[in-house]
Amino acid sequence: GITATAIILDGTLRKGEFAVSGNSISPLRIVENFAGKPIESATFSSPVRIIGWNELPKVGSSFICFADKKEAQKAASEYKETINQGDTTKEDGVASVVPIVIKADTGGSLDALVYEIGKLGNERVLPKVVLSGIGPISENDIRAAENNDNAFVLGFHTKVDAGAQNLALRLNVAVHTFDIIYKLTEWLAQAIKERTPSIEVEEVVGSAKVMKLFSSVKDKQILGGKVQSGEIHLGDTVRIMRRESEISRGKIRELQQAKQKTSTIQEGSEFGAMIESKFEIAPGDVLECIVLTKK
C-alpha cells in the first residue's frame, strides 16, 4: 500500500485507529517505527511509517488520528469540500478549465508533475488536477475523466490496467503515458494552447492628428489631418481621442490626398477625410484607427 513517514507532534498513535491527512485516510493496521519494525503505539516526537493510505498525502501536511472510521471519513470529506470551494474561487474569471487525471510511480514524481502542471495556466485557461495518485491507471481514473468534460488522463512511469484500457476505448477517453517529465509538460502545454479560447482585441494600426475642421453636416464631418504613426485606411473604425481619453468613435467614409481619392495614407502625410461620427470632432483631436484581431 501507499506509505508515508510522519512525526507525532502531540498525543499517542495506536494501532486500530484511523489516520487522516487532508482527504487521505489510512487504517492503522500496519505501523512501523524508524527501524522498520511493527509497533502497537507511539507517542509524541516519534517518527512512524504508516502503510495503507487510500491516496498519497501531501508532503508537509499534518495528520490526525480518529478512533472511529466514520469520524475519519467525515473529516476527510469536510476537507475535500473546503478545497473544492477554494478551487471555484480561483477559477472565477477563467474562460476555460482543462481537467487532468494524473498517475505516477512515486510521490516525488507526482508532486513535481502537479507543480509543473500548475505553471501552465494563463488568464484564459486553467489546468486543474481533478484526481491524482500513485500506481497504474485504473478504471476509476477513466471514470473520473469521463465525469469531467474533455479531461486528459496522463501517466508517468506507470502502466494502464487492461480494464482501464477497455473502458477508455468504450468511453472515448484518451490516455497518454510518458517516461520523461519535460516530454509530458511539453505535450500538455501544446494541448492547453490548442484549447485556449481565442479572444478579439483591438489593435491600433495608425493614428492621425486633426489639423482643421472644414464642415459638418449631420453626422458627417469633413476635416484635414496628418498621419502621426502607421497608416490609416478607407473604411477604418476610429477612436476619437481628446487629451488621451476616448470621447467617441467613428468611421472613415472618404479619404483624399492632394485632392485625389485614395484608400491609404502613409505616416507623415497630410490628408482630407470624411468621418462619420455623431460626436463633434475638433482640431487637436487624435484619430486612432483600430482593427479587431484574434489572439
Side-chain angles (χ1 to χ4, degrees), residues 165-194:
Q165 288 180 334
N166 294 332
L167 184 62
L169 288 172
R170 290 204 310 270
L171 299 179
N172 196 29
V173 173
V175 179
H176 304 271
T177 58
F178 301 85
D179 293 324
I180 303 173
I181 286 182
Y182 82 84
K183 289 289 185 182
L184 185 152
T185 54
E186 279 184 353
W187 180 90
L188 185 57
Q190 180 60 34
I192 288 173
K193 183 179 179 181
E194 292 171 359

mmCIF file of all heavy atoms in Angstrom, residues 165-194:
data_model
loop_
_atom_site.group_PDB
_atom_site.id
_atom_site.type_symbol
_atom_site.label_atom_id
_atom_site.label_comp_id
_atom_site.label_asym_id
_atom_site.label_seq_id
_atom_site.Cartn_x
_atom_site.Cartn_y
_atom_site.Cartn_z
ATOM 1 N N GLN A 165 -7.912 0.218 -20.021
ATOM 2 C CA GLN A 165 -7.762 0.388 -21.467
ATOM 3 C C GLN A 165 -9.081 0.125 -22.190
ATOM 4 O O GLN A 165 -9.492 0.899 -23.062
ATOM 5 C CB GLN A 165 -6.672 -0.545 -21.996
ATOM 6 C CG GLN A 165 -5.258 -0.132 -21.615
ATOM 7 C CD GLN A 165 -4.215 -1.090 -22.152
ATOM 8 O OE1 GLN A 165 -4.499 -2.265 -22.386
ATOM 9 N NE2 GLN A 165 -3.010 -0.604 -22.359
ATOM 10 N N ASN A 166 -9.751 -0.959 -21.808
ATOM 11 C CA ASN A 166 -11.025 -1.294 -22.443
ATOM 12 C C ASN A 166 -12.083 -0.235 -22.160
ATOM 13 O O ASN A 166 -12.845 0.157 -23.049
ATOM 14 C CB ASN A 166 -11.514 -2.666 -21.958
ATOM 15 C CG ASN A 166 -10.604 -3.794 -22.402
ATOM 16 O OD1 ASN A 166 -9.942 -3.695 -23.432
ATOM 17 N ND2 ASN A 166 -10.557 -4.865 -21.621
ATOM 18 N N LEU A 167 -12.131 0.236 -20.916
ATOM 19 C CA LEU A 167 -13.114 1.256 -20.543
ATOM 20 C C LEU A 167 -12.839 2.571 -21.269
ATOM 21 O O LEU A 167 -13.772 3.252 -21.712
ATOM 22 C CB LEU A 167 -13.096 1.469 -19.027
ATOM 23 C CG LEU A 167 -14.150 2.440 -18.469
ATOM 24 C CD1 LEU A 167 -15.552 1.918 -18.763
ATOM 25 C CD2 LEU A 167 -13.947 2.644 -16.970
ATOM 26 N N ALA A 168 -11.548 2.925 -21.397
ATOM 27 C CA ALA A 168 -11.178 4.162 -22.096
ATOM 28 C C ALA A 168 -11.629 4.111 -23.555
ATOM 29 O O ALA A 168 -12.100 5.112 -24.105
ATOM 30 C CB ALA A 168 -9.669 4.384 -22.012
ATOM 31 N N LEU A 169 -11.502 2.945 -24.188
ATOM 32 C CA LEU A 169 -11.947 2.791 -25.578
ATOM 33 C C LEU A 169 -13.463 2.940 -25.682
ATOM 34 O O LEU A 169 -13.970 3.588 -26.599
ATOM 35 C CB LEU A 169 -11.506 1.431 -26.125
ATOM 36 C CG LEU A 169 -10.011 1.269 -26.420
ATOM 37 C CD1 LEU A 169 -9.699 -0.178 -26.763
ATOM 38 C CD2 LEU A 169 -9.583 2.202 -27.558
ATOM 39 N N ARG A 170 -14.183 2.342 -24.726
ATOM 40 C CA ARG A 170 -15.648 2.409 -24.761
ATOM 41 C C ARG A 170 -16.150 3.825 -24.527
ATOM 42 O O ARG A 170 -17.117 4.261 -25.152
ATOM 43 C CB ARG A 170 -16.257 1.474 -23.712
ATOM 44 C CG ARG A 170 -16.097 0.005 -24.017
ATOM 45 C CD ARG A 170 -17.179 -0.822 -23.320
ATOM 46 N NE ARG A 170 -17.299 -0.517 -21.904
ATOM 47 C CZ ARG A 170 -16.615 -1.130 -20.942
ATOM 48 N NH1 ARG A 170 -15.728 -2.056 -21.254
ATOM 49 N NH2 ARG A 170 -16.813 -0.815 -19.684
ATOM 50 N N LEU A 171 -15.502 4.539 -23.615
ATOM 51 C CA LEU A 171 -15.956 5.893 -23.259
ATOM 52 C C LEU A 171 -15.289 6.975 -24.103
ATOM 53 O O LEU A 171 -15.562 8.166 -23.911
ATOM 54 C CB LEU A 171 -15.681 6.158 -21.770
ATOM 55 C CG LEU A 171 -16.388 5.234 -20.774
ATOM 56 C CD1 LEU A 171 -16.004 5.598 -19.357
ATOM 57 C CD2 LEU A 171 -17.900 5.313 -20.953
ATOM 58 N N ASN A 172 -14.386 6.562 -25.002
ATOM 59 C CA ASN A 172 -13.658 7.515 -25.859
ATOM 60 C C ASN A 172 -12.844 8.513 -25.033
ATOM 61 O O ASN A 172 -12.856 9.715 -25.279
ATOM 62 C CB ASN A 172 -14.628 8.264 -26.779
ATOM 63 C CG ASN A 172 -13.910 8.946 -27.932
ATOM 64 O OD1 ASN A 172 -12.853 8.495 -28.384
ATOM 65 N ND2 ASN A 172 -14.466 10.044 -28.411
ATOM 66 N N VAL A 173 -12.150 7.985 -24.034
ATOM 67 C CA VAL A 173 -11.270 8.800 -23.181
ATOM 68 C C VAL A 173 -9.822 8.552 -23.604
ATOM 69 O O VAL A 173 -9.368 7.412 -23.623
ATOM 70 C CB VAL A 173 -11.456 8.456 -21.689
ATOM 71 C CG1 VAL A 173 -10.415 9.185 -20.843
ATOM 72 C CG2 VAL A 173 -12.864 8.800 -21.233
ATOM 73 N N ALA A 174 -9.117 9.607 -23.951
ATOM 74 C CA ALA A 174 -7.726 9.468 -24.397
ATOM 75 C C ALA A 174 -6.792 9.333 -23.191
ATOM 76 O O ALA A 174 -6.916 10.073 -22.215
ATOM 77 C CB ALA A 174 -7.311 10.675 -25.230
ATOM 78 N N VAL A 175 -5.883 8.380 -23.265
ATOM 79 C CA VAL A 175 -4.894 8.156 -22.204
ATOM 80 C C VAL A 175 -3.498 8.330 -22.796
ATOM 81 O O VAL A 175 -3.193 7.767 -23.854
ATOM 82 C CB VAL A 175 -5.029 6.740 -21.604
ATOM 83 C CG1 VAL A 175 -3.977 6.512 -20.525
ATOM 84 C CG2 VAL A 175 -6.430 6.532 -21.039
ATOM 85 N N HIS A 176 -2.653 9.099 -22.132
ATOM 86 C CA HIS A 176 -1.292 9.352 -22.618
ATOM 87 C C HIS A 176 -0.304 9.045 -21.498
ATOM 88 O O HIS A 176 -0.475 9.505 -20.369
ATOM 89 C CB HIS A 176 -1.133 10.819 -23.054
ATOM 90 C CG HIS A 176 -2.125 11.239 -24.099
ATOM 91 N ND1 HIS A 176 -1.901 11.101 -25.441
ATOM 92 C CD2 HIS A 176 -3.358 11.798 -23.971
ATOM 93 C CE1 HIS A 176 -2.948 11.554 -26.114
ATOM 94 N NE2 HIS A 176 -3.845 11.984 -25.243
ATOM 95 N N THR A 177 0.727 8.269 -21.809
ATOM 96 C CA THR A 177 1.749 7.931 -20.815
ATOM 97 C C THR A 177 3.112 8.452 -21.280
ATOM 98 O O THR A 177 3.391 8.512 -22.479
ATOM 99 C CB THR A 177 1.833 6.413 -20.584
ATOM 100 O OG1 THR A 177 2.116 5.757 -21.825
ATOM 101 C CG2 THR A 177 0.523 5.887 -20.018
ATOM 102 N N PHE A 178 3.943 8.812 -20.297
ATOM 103 C CA PHE A 178 5.255 9.399 -20.582
ATOM 104 C C PHE A 178 6.293 8.826 -19.619
ATOM 105 O O PHE A 178 5.954 8.379 -18.521
ATOM 106 C CB PHE A 178 5.208 10.926 -20.425
ATOM 107 C CG PHE A 178 4.208 11.606 -21.325
ATOM 108 C CD1 PHE A 178 2.871 11.719 -20.944
ATOM 109 C CD2 PHE A 178 4.590 12.123 -22.554
ATOM 110 C CE1 PHE A 178 1.947 12.343 -21.762
ATOM 111 C CE2 PHE A 178 3.676 12.742 -23.384
ATOM 112 C CZ PHE A 178 2.346 12.850 -22.989
ATOM 113 N N ASP A 179 7.568 8.888 -20.050
ATOM 114 C CA ASP A 179 8.681 8.447 -19.207
ATOM 115 C C ASP A 179 9.603 9.593 -18.816
ATOM 116 O O ASP A 179 10.513 9.417 -18.006
ATOM 117 C CB ASP A 179 9.512 7.373 -19.925
ATOM 118 C CG ASP A 179 8.726 6.084 -20.126
ATOM 119 O OD1 ASP A 179 7.927 5.747 -19.226
ATOM 120 O OD2 ASP A 179 8.888 5.428 -21.162
ATOM 121 N N ILE A 180 9.391 10.784 -19.418
ATOM 122 C CA ILE A 180 10.222 11.952 -19.129
ATOM 123 C C ILE A 180 9.301 13.115 -18.788
ATOM 124 O O ILE A 180 8.350 13.390 -19.522
ATOM 125 C CB ILE A 180 11.116 12.326 -20.334
ATOM 126 C CG1 ILE A 180 11.993 11.127 -20.733
ATOM 127 C CG2 ILE A 180 11.982 13.536 -20.020
ATOM 128 C CD1 ILE A 180 12.786 11.349 -22.011
ATOM 129 N N ILE A 181 9.579 13.799 -17.668
ATOM 130 C CA ILE A 181 8.691 14.863 -17.199
ATOM 131 C C ILE A 181 8.545 15.974 -18.226
ATOM 132 O O ILE A 181 7.430 16.427 -18.517
ATOM 133 C CB ILE A 181 9.194 15.431 -15.854
ATOM 134 C CG1 ILE A 181 8.924 14.437 -14.723
ATOM 135 C CG2 ILE A 181 8.509 16.761 -15.530
ATOM 136 C CD1 ILE A 181 9.341 14.907 -13.354
ATOM 137 N N TYR A 182 9.656 16.430 -18.815
ATOM 138 C CA TYR A 182 9.544 17.571 -19.725
ATOM 139 C C TYR A 182 8.780 17.204 -20.992
ATOM 140 O O TYR A 182 8.141 18.070 -21.611
ATOM 141 C CB TYR A 182 10.916 18.174 -20.037
ATOM 142 C CG TYR A 182 11.722 17.487 -21.117
ATOM 143 C CD1 TYR A 182 11.507 17.779 -22.465
ATOM 144 C CD2 TYR A 182 12.716 16.567 -20.797
ATOM 145 C CE1 TYR A 182 12.255 17.157 -23.455
ATOM 146 C CE2 TYR A 182 13.458 15.943 -21.779
ATOM 147 C CZ TYR A 182 13.225 16.251 -23.110
ATOM 148 O OH TYR A 182 13.954 15.641 -24.097
ATOM 149 N N LYS A 183 8.806 15.909 -21.374
ATOM 150 C CA LYS A 183 8.015 15.474 -22.520
ATOM 151 C C LYS A 183 6.518 15.584 -22.202
ATOM 152 O O LYS A 183 5.714 16.008 -23.044
ATOM 153 C CB LYS A 183 8.364 14.039 -22.903
ATOM 154 C CG LYS A 183 9.738 13.874 -23.545
ATOM 155 C CD LYS A 183 9.767 14.467 -24.946
ATOM 156 C CE LYS A 183 11.098 14.193 -25.638
ATOM 157 N NZ LYS A 183 11.158 14.796 -26.991
ATOM 158 N N LEU A 184 6.157 15.192 -20.981
ATOM 159 C CA LEU A 184 4.762 15.295 -20.557
ATOM 160 C C LEU A 184 4.315 16.749 -20.525
ATOM 161 O O LEU A 184 3.248 17.091 -21.043
ATOM 162 C CB LEU A 184 4.585 14.648 -19.180
ATOM 163 C CG LEU A 184 3.166 14.555 -18.613
ATOM 164 C CD1 LEU A 184 3.056 13.358 -17.670
ATOM 165 C CD2 LEU A 184 2.752 15.818 -17.868
ATOM 166 N N THR A 185 5.139 17.621 -19.918
ATOM 167 C CA THR A 185 4.740 19.028 -19.808
ATOM 168 C C THR A 185 4.725 19.720 -21.162
ATOM 169 O O THR A 185 3.894 20.593 -21.412
ATOM 170 C CB THR A 185 5.660 19.780 -18.831
ATOM 171 O OG1 THR A 185 7.033 19.611 -19.230
ATOM 172 C CG2 THR A 185 5.494 19.257 -17.412
ATOM 173 N N GLU A 186 5.645 19.352 -22.061
ATOM 174 C CA GLU A 186 5.642 19.928 -23.411
ATOM 175 C C GLU A 186 4.360 19.543 -24.146
ATOM 176 O O GLU A 186 3.722 20.386 -24.792
ATOM 177 C CB GLU A 186 6.861 19.439 -24.205
ATOM 178 C CG GLU A 186 8.144 20.189 -23.911
ATOM 179 C CD GLU A 186 9.288 19.718 -24.787
ATOM 180 O OE1 GLU A 186 9.115 18.722 -25.525
ATOM 181 O OE2 GLU A 186 10.367 20.340 -24.742
ATOM 182 N N TRP A 187 4.006 18.260 -24.056
ATOM 183 C CA TRP A 187 2.786 17.799 -24.723
ATOM 184 C C TRP A 187 1.561 18.506 -24.152
ATOM 185 O O TRP A 187 0.683 18.970 -24.887
ATOM 186 C CB TRP A 187 2.637 16.288 -24.547
ATOM 187 C CG TRP A 187 1.391 15.764 -25.208
ATOM 188 C CD1 TRP A 187 1.251 15.319 -26.488
ATOM 189 C CD2 TRP A 187 0.099 15.650 -24.602
ATOM 190 N NE1 TRP A 187 -0.046 14.947 -26.722
ATOM 191 C CE2 TRP A 187 -0.779 15.135 -25.580
ATOM 192 C CE3 TRP A 187 -0.401 15.932 -23.325
ATOM 193 C CZ2 TRP A 187 -2.126 14.903 -25.327
ATOM 194 C CZ3 TRP A 187 -1.751 15.692 -23.073
ATOM 195 C CH2 TRP A 187 -2.587 15.184 -24.061
ATOM 196 N N LEU A 188 1.502 18.612 -22.818
ATOM 197 C CA LEU A 188 0.351 19.224 -22.170
ATOM 198 C C LEU A 188 0.268 20.715 -22.482
ATOM 199 O O LEU A 188 -0.827 21.256 -22.681
ATOM 200 C CB LEU A 188 0.412 18.998 -20.660
ATOM 201 C CG LEU A 188 -0.789 19.491 -19.845
ATOM 202 C CD1 LEU A 188 -2.077 18.847 -20.349
ATOM 203 C CD2 LEU A 188 -0.585 19.197 -18.368
ATOM 204 N N ALA A 189 1.424 21.385 -22.532
ATOM 205 C CA ALA A 189 1.428 22.817 -22.861
ATOM 206 C C ALA A 189 0.835 23.054 -24.247
ATOM 207 O O ALA A 189 0.059 24.002 -24.455
ATOM 208 C CB ALA A 189 2.851 23.365 -22.786
ATOM 209 N N GLN A 190 1.192 22.188 -25.213
ATOM 210 C CA GLN A 190 0.645 22.321 -26.559
ATOM 211 C C GLN A 190 -0.853 22.020 -26.575
ATOM 212 O O GLN A 190 -1.631 22.718 -27.241
ATOM 213 C CB GLN A 190 1.381 21.369 -27.512
ATOM 214 C CG GLN A 190 0.900 21.427 -28.960
ATOM 215 C CD GLN A 190 1.061 22.802 -29.588
ATOM 216 O OE1 GLN A 190 2.012 23.531 -29.288
ATOM 217 N NE2 GLN A 190 0.135 23.171 -30.450
ATOM 218 N N ALA A 191 -1.269 20.999 -25.817
ATOM 219 C CA ALA A 191 -2.687 20.655 -25.756
ATOM 220 C C ALA A 191 -3.506 21.781 -25.126
ATOM 221 O O ALA A 191 -4.611 22.097 -25.585
ATOM 222 C CB ALA A 191 -2.869 19.362 -24.956
ATOM 223 N N ILE A 192 -2.950 22.411 -24.094
ATOM 224 C CA ILE A 192 -3.632 23.537 -23.450
ATOM 225 C C ILE A 192 -3.712 24.723 -24.406
ATOM 226 O O ILE A 192 -4.732 25.423 -24.484
ATOM 227 C CB ILE A 192 -2.919 23.922 -22.146
ATOM 228 C CG1 ILE A 192 -3.163 22.850 -21.074
ATOM 229 C CG2 ILE A 192 -3.377 25.287 -21.636
ATOM 230 C CD1 ILE A 192 -2.375 23.053 -19.808
ATOM 231 N N LYS A 193 -2.641 24.944 -25.161
ATOM 232 C CA LYS A 193 -2.636 26.036 -26.141
ATOM 233 C C LYS A 193 -3.743 25.848 -27.172
ATOM 234 O O LYS A 193 -4.426 26.794 -27.558
ATOM 235 C CB LYS A 193 -1.267 26.101 -26.835
ATOM 236 C CG LYS A 193 -1.123 27.251 -27.821
ATOM 237 C CD LYS A 193 0.259 27.269 -28.440
ATOM 238 C CE LYS A 193 0.389 28.407 -29.457
ATOM 239 N NZ LYS A 193 1.735 28.422 -30.080
ATOM 240 N N GLU A 194 -3.926 24.598 -27.605
ATOM 241 C CA GLU A 194 -4.970 24.306 -28.593
ATOM 242 C C GLU A 194 -6.364 24.500 -28.014
ATOM 243 O O GLU A 194 -7.302 24.806 -28.749
ATOM 244 C CB GLU A 194 -4.801 22.870 -29.108
ATOM 245 C CG GLU A 194 -3.545 22.673 -29.945
ATOM 246 C CD GLU A 194 -3.287 21.214 -30.269
ATOM 247 O OE1 GLU A 194 -4.085 20.357 -29.831
ATOM 248 O OE2 GLU A 194 -2.282 20.935 -30.954
#
